[in-house]
């Protein structure tokens, strides 16, 4: 028989042409997203970009000004929050301090009027799921912050929703606990098969856990893709800049064939670059190269770029070599440190910079 903690499958969420106005302020501007069943999907963006508002519209706490919210293809816009098979975990846990761990976890089921024996059995399953077996009788106030967050997760998972919404649930935890809870959340999502929609402004958190990420800015979705897509194939400057560290280079398009372009850098060197599927590059373009994809060395006649080292930052595992290119552009190379430590450059050295053909990406204008 199927384990009690295994849902048949998670729900698919469709957001179609969603707009949300608060008075004359537009918080969400025409968002269309299809979140797949069983997916760990993350809404990522800076503070105020509309992530929480979007989540609250899936939960039913806010109504869209325009557009539809679909669950498994049916419009759920008319349903109250408690009529939707959707639950939310908040940053501040919102546990009941006067109840035990087990009573907190069973609270939603009790409200639904489920039989006592069923509640006991589900609560026991949930305690195991979040690794709190044997702690059911403890007052929640006796638990650590990380344990309380796991109780909040268990409580939200107990009624077996089709979709779990998580609004920055780890931001109150210290760094080490946050890292272990990231792994824990991913495990819970895989084990339950419930669709997770996770909100964060932390790009590393998003890259670590997500099947797919929607990067948002000012009420709009800028790019949707796997962590790999978002990091290695950013479509535009905002995405490239928001996720990780990036070098921007000006270039002129020489030719385009299939899905590669030849571009000429200001150094005169020609390189090959990829570009977003909906773009046909021409004229002047911006190309991005991630710092860890470039190598610095003694300049040669064939170096793609040339410049002078103006700063060297040692970071333990890596060294950041900051170079001022001949045309004045700043460029950073991240090198993994060898055991001997020193990166081999000094401030003022002239260096050549190279990267392999497949790492450069042309941005949409
Ligand atoms: P954060 O990470 O800071 O929570 P966010 O991306 O989740 O940011 P939202 O909370 O969705 O952003 O807010 C988007 C914008 O809408 C913000 O400018 C916010 O001030 C505004 N906003 C949200 N709720 C309301 C409301 N009830 N009334 C008026 N403005 C609101």
């Amino acid at each position: 028989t199927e384990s009690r903690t295994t849902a048949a499958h998670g729900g698919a969420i469709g957001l179609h042409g969603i707009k949300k106005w608060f008075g004359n302020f537009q918080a969400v501007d025409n968002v269309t997203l299809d979140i797949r069943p069983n997916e760990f999907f993350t809404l990522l963006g800076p503070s105020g970009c509309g992530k929480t508002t979007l989540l609250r519209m899936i939960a039913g706490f806010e109504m869209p000004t325009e557009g539809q919210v679909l669950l498994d293809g049916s419009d759920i816009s008319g349903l109250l929050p408690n009529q939707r098979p959707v639950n939310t975990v908040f940053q501040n846990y919102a546990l009941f301090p006067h109840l035990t761990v087990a009573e907190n976890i069973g609270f939603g089921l009790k409200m639904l009027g489920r039989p006592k024996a069923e509640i006991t059995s589900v609560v026991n399953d949930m305690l195991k799921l979040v690794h709190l077996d044997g702690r059911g009788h403890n007052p929640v106030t006796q638990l650590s912050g990380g344990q309380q967050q796991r109780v909040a997760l268990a409580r939200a998972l107990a009624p077996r929703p089709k979709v779990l919404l998580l609004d920055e649930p780890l931001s109150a935890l210290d760094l080490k606990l946050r890292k272990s809870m990231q792994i824990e959340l991913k495990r819970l999502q895989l084990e339950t098969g419930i669709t997770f929609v996770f909100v964060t402004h932390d790009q590393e958190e998003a890259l670590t856990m997500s099947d797919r990420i929607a990067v948002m800015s000012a009420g709009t979705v800028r790019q949707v893709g796997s962590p790999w897509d978002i990091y290695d194939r950013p479509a535009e400057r905002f995405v490239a800049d928001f996720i990780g560290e990036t070098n921007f280079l000006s270039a002129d398009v020489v030719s385009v064939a299939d899905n590669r372009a030849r571009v000429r850098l200001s150094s005169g060197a020609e390189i090959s670059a990829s570009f977003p599927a909906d773009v046909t590059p021409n004229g002047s373009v911006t190309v991005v190269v991630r710092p860890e994809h470039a190598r610095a060395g003694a300049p040669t006649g064939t170096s793609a770029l040339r410049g002078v080292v103006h700063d060297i930052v040692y970071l333990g595992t890596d060294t950041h070599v900051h170079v001022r290119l001949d045309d004045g552009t700043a460029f950073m190379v991240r090198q993994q440190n060898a055991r001997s430590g020193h990166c081999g450059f000094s401030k003022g050295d002239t260096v050549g910079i190279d990267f392999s053909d497949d790492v450069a990406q042309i941005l949409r204008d």
Side-chain angles (χ1 to χ4, degrees):
T1 58
E2 199 184 25
S3 156
R4 196 180 268 289
T5 52
T6 307
H9 68 81
I13 292 287
L15 300 173
H16 291 179
I18 301 281
K19 296 182 184 176
K20 180 65 181 179
W21 294 80
F22 293 109
N24 58 11
F25 175 78
Q26 188 168 14
V28 175
D29 183 7
N30 203 16
V31 165
T32 293
L33 277 178
D34 281 298
I35 300 172
R36 299 168 188 153
N38 307 352
E39 183 164 51
F40 198 122
F41 191 90
T42 298
L43 300 170
L44 171 68
S47 179
C49 71
K51 310 178 293 289
T52 297
T53 303
L54 219 44
L55 209 66
R56 289 172 59 79
M57 289 190 280
I58 300 172
F61 301 129
E62 295 288 355
M63 292 300 286
T65 312
E66 266 181 52
Q68 277 100 43
V69 180
L70 308 181
L71 177 71
D72 292 333
S74 308
D75 194 334
I76 56 169
S77 301
L79 298 183
L80 293 169
N82 61 8
Q83 295 170 323
R84 303 182 184 200
V86 172
N87 252 343
T88 308
V89 179
F90 300 97
Q91 176 187 338
N92 58 7
Y93 328 143
L95 296 173
F96 304 112
H98 55 289
L99 299 183
T100 64
V101 169
E103 287 164 345
N104 266 282
I105 296 173
F107 188 83
L109 298 171
K110 202 171 164 192
M111 289 295 104
L112 291 170
R114 298 284 176 76
K116 216 169 166 183
E118 184 195 324
I119 296 177
T120 306
S121 154
V122 173
V123 166
N124 283 334
D125 286 345
M126 289 299 137
L127 285 168
K128 281 197 202 86
L129 186 68
V130 299
H131 298 160
L132 285 173
D133 331 36
R135 305 301 295 270
H137 297 296
N138 292 133
V140 274
T141 47
Q142 276 180 7
L143 302 186
S144 69
Q147 290 170 330
Q148 290 189 17
Q149 186 55 278
R150 282 191 269 156
V151 175
L153 281 165
R155 183 179 61 180
L157 290 167
R160 275 177 282 165
K162 289 191 163 202
V163 178
L164 189 69
L165 308 176
L166 304 108
D167 195 355
E168 309 235 11
L170 309 182
S171 57
L173 307 176
D174 66 49
L175 182 66
K176 204 162 173 205
L177 196 51
R178 198 153 75 228
K179 297 260 178 214
S180 75
M181 281 303 290
Q182 287 172 5
I183 296 164
E184 190 72 4
L185 272 181
K186 184 75 196 166
R187 176 185 69 81
L188 284 175
Q189 193 269 327
L190 286 170
E191 276 185 29
T192 60
I194 293 170
T195 307
F196 277 27
V197 187
F198 186 87
V199 160
T200 184
H201 60 266
D202 181 333
Q203 42 112 4
E204 196 192 322
E205 194 160 275
L207 293 174
T208 306
M209 291 191 289
S210 314
D211 294 314
R212 289 191 307 151
I213 300 169
V215 182
M216 293 184 68
S217 162
T220 61
V221 171
R222 307 312 313 173
Q223 189 171 352
V224 183
S226 67
W228 183 88
D229 286 331
I230 299 286
Y231 185 81
D232 269 353
R233 297 286 175 253
E236 57 176 59
R237 183 176 275 266
F238 176 82
V239 176
D241 220 9
F242 191 71
I243 317 279
E245 283 165 300
T246 312
N247 295 300
F248 295 102
L249 298 169
S250 309
D252 290 307
V253 177
V254 176
S255 63
V256 179
D258 301 323
N259 51 3
R260 304 291 299 176
R262 294 289 300 169
V263 299
R264 187 178 299 114
L265 303 174
S266 67
S267 61
E270 281 187 19
I271 61 162
S272 163
S274 57
F275 49 85
D278 57 348
V279 167
T280 307
N282 65 69
S284 304
V285 292
T286 302
V287 171
V288 293
V289 177
R290 295 289 183 187
E292 67 275 23
H293 294 156
R295 294 175 306 278
T300 69
T302 61
S303 300
L305 301 166
R306 222 178 61 130
V308 175
V309 175
H310 72 90
D311 206 4
I312 298 167
V313 181
Y314 176 74
L315 291 162
T317 53
D318 301 316
T319 295
H320 289 182
V321 182
H322 294 270
V323 178
R324 180 75 56 201
L325 300 180
D326 286 350
D327 71 351
T329 310
F331 195 98
M332 197 254 279
V333 177
R334 178 181 299 146
Q335 307 204 134
Q336 235 179 353
N337 288 328
R339 188 64 199 272
S340 65
H342 195 264
C343 70
F345 302 112
S346 307
K347 282 187 199 180
D349 283 354
T350 296
V351 291
I353 295 172
D354 281 291
F355 32 86
S356 63
D357 242 10
D358 55 348
V359 302
Q361 159 91 356
I362 295 172
L363 299 180
R364 188 183 292 135
D365 283 338

